[in-house]
Amino acid sequence: MNALSEYTAPVSVSDGPIVRTVEVNKWFGDRHILTDVSLEIERGEVVVLVGPSGAGKTTFLRTLNRLEPIDSGEIYVDGQRIGERVRDDGKVTEISAKALAAQRADIGFVFQHFNLFPHMTVLENIWHSPVRVKGEKKAEAVAYARELLDRVGLSDKADVRPRSLSGGQQQRVAIARALAMRPALMLFDEPTSALDPEMVGEVLQVMQDLAKAGMTMIIVSHEMGFTREVADRLIVMDAGAIIEQGDPELVFSNPKHERTRQFLSKVL
Ligand SMILES: Nc1ncnc2c1ncn2[C@@H]1O[C@H](COP(=O)(O)OP(=O)(O)OP(=O)(O)O)[C@@H](O)[C@H]1O
């Protein structure tokens, strides 16, 4: 499989952290799901987010591209406030659906279930959004889609339908599809947890290549071997809050929080 070494990040609009959240709070009904989550992620950083079931990891990822609106706090991606604008009088209002779609295009999202379009070929799945959403020229989008397919080791599958691929192959296509939008940031929500064990390695390899190529990544995963090798930072969430973070090896060997210790004893 070719390395993703030629990945080119889009031109950034700012020099600061690629992600900055300030005291983000989220409620579902009367349940407080995210509590004052403040976080900065640097460009090129690979962060793995862990925590027990229900800790709020998925919800947090979804707030980053506004799949979930927040109740209070601020979220900036590449210096831009996501989904909201602050009016001159200080009031916060939602941006237009079109402006939000443009912001979302900068954030690649890979889910547990790949949700490829079944009626399109593998190649069409990859170039479709850059043409439809970003207005790229078809010939260029197709050429880049072929390049990405090659980089995830699936050049020979360009013209087949997703259903004829294995789960691991489909997830690699989903990663290529997200990369086709030339995102500034990639979010992964348990990308290997729905796969048969023998498929996990090939997907993690693609993610590792991407990390080496300098992509900024936030990954929810319980793959601690991968985390040890690839992550710059491990963040532990519990009950909607960040309780601990740091170099994965240090957190593994010397967890500061009892809840971290309990969680790690189950996954290490
Ligand atoms: N749309 C929703 N409406 C109501 N409650 C929700 C909704 N989505 C998530 N929740 C609740 O929010 C809490 C956090 O869920 P979330 O999926 O973010 O946790 P998680 O850390 O990703 O868990 P897991 O590891 O099980 O995926 C859970 O208690 C969940 O039931």
Side-chain angles (χ1 to χ4, degrees):
M1 194 180 298
N2 291 337
L4 288 153
S5 55
E6 289 156 49
Y7 165 75
T8 46
V11 178
S12 292
V13 297
S14 76
D15 290 333
I18 192 91
V19 173
R20 185 162 76 92
T21 75
V22 186
E23 295 182 357
V24 167
N25 282 274
K26 168 79 189 168
W27 296 73
F28 281 125
D30 59 0
R31 296 185 55 209
H32 202 172
I33 303 298
L34 297 175
T35 307
D36 291 336
V37 179
S38 294
L39 184 64
E40 287 193 358
I41 308 236
E42 299 303 325
R43 283 158 208 282
E45 202 179 4
V46 177
V47 170
V48 170
L49 185 57
V50 296
S53 183
K57 307 177 296 292
T58 294
T59 304
F60 178 66
L61 280 196
R62 287 167 58 85
T63 65
L64 293 180
N65 68 354
R66 206 73 179 179
L67 284 172
E68 290 292 353
I70 56 177
D71 293 300
S72 68
E74 296 156 36
I75 297 177
Y76 300 86
V77 175
D78 204 6
Q80 284 192 314
R81 191 156 169 151
I82 289 291
E84 295 176 330
R85 74 190 168 92
V86 184
R87 292 191 335 202
D88 290 345
D89 62 4
K91 198 159 182 266
V92 178
T93 57
E94 306 240 326
I95 62 173
S96 70
K98 194 173 170 208
L100 180 57
Q103 287 187 335
R104 282 194 180 136
D106 277 345
I107 307 172
F109 209 141
V110 175
F111 303 89
Q112 185 175 350
H113 297 286
F114 356 99
N115 301 330
L116 298 172
F117 298 118
H119 57 287
M120 292 183 191
T121 66
V122 162
L123 195 70
E124 285 165 349
N125 262 280
I126 301 172
W127 64 252
H128 182 260
S129 290
V131 172
R132 295 273 173 246
V133 179
K134 288 184 105 177
E136 279 186 29
K137 290 207 177 75
K138 186 176 161 189
E140 281 166 29
V142 171
Y144 191 46
R146 284 197 188 281
E147 213 179 296
L148 289 169
L149 206 48
D150 184 38
R151 292 189 203 171
V152 299
L154 293 170
S155 323
D156 57 335
K157 304 290 185 192
D159 300 322
V160 305
R161 306 263 172 212
R163 68 172 172 273
S164 69
L165 302 183
S166 70
Q169 289 172 331
Q170 289 192 52
Q171 192 60 301
R172 281 148 62 194
V173 174
I175 294 172
R177 180 178 59 175
L179 289 172
M181 298 290 272
R182 302 177 196 268
L185 165 74
M186 287 280 283
L187 309 177
F188 293 84
D189 192 4
E190 303 203 26
T192 58
S193 60
L195 301 178
D196 292 337
E198 64 271 22
M199 314 268 162
V200 170
E202 65 191 54
V203 172
L204 294 180
Q205 182 62 54
V206 167
M207 292 168 66
Q208 185 160 6
D209 288 345
L210 203 46
K212 278 198 199 127
M215 176 57 90
T216 313
M217 300 160 78
I218 308 178
I219 305 161
V220 173
S221 174
H222 291 173
E223 295 287 342
M224 292 299 108
F226 168 82
T227 299
R228 195 172 248 133
E229 265 186 61
V230 178
D232 299 303
R233 183 165 29 143
L234 180 69
I235 296 180
V236 186
M237 279 186 86
D238 188 57
I242 294 175
I243 58 167
E244 184 157 355
Q245 54 182 311
D247 177 84
E249 211 57 65
L250 292 179
V251 177
F252 290 156
S253 59
N254 188 19
K256 300 267 182 285
H257 202 289
E258 181 51 30
R259 294 285 293 167
T260 306
R261 207 181 301 274
Q262 282 171 9
F263 172 75
L264 291 177
S265 69
K266 294 190 187 118
V267 292
L268 279 178

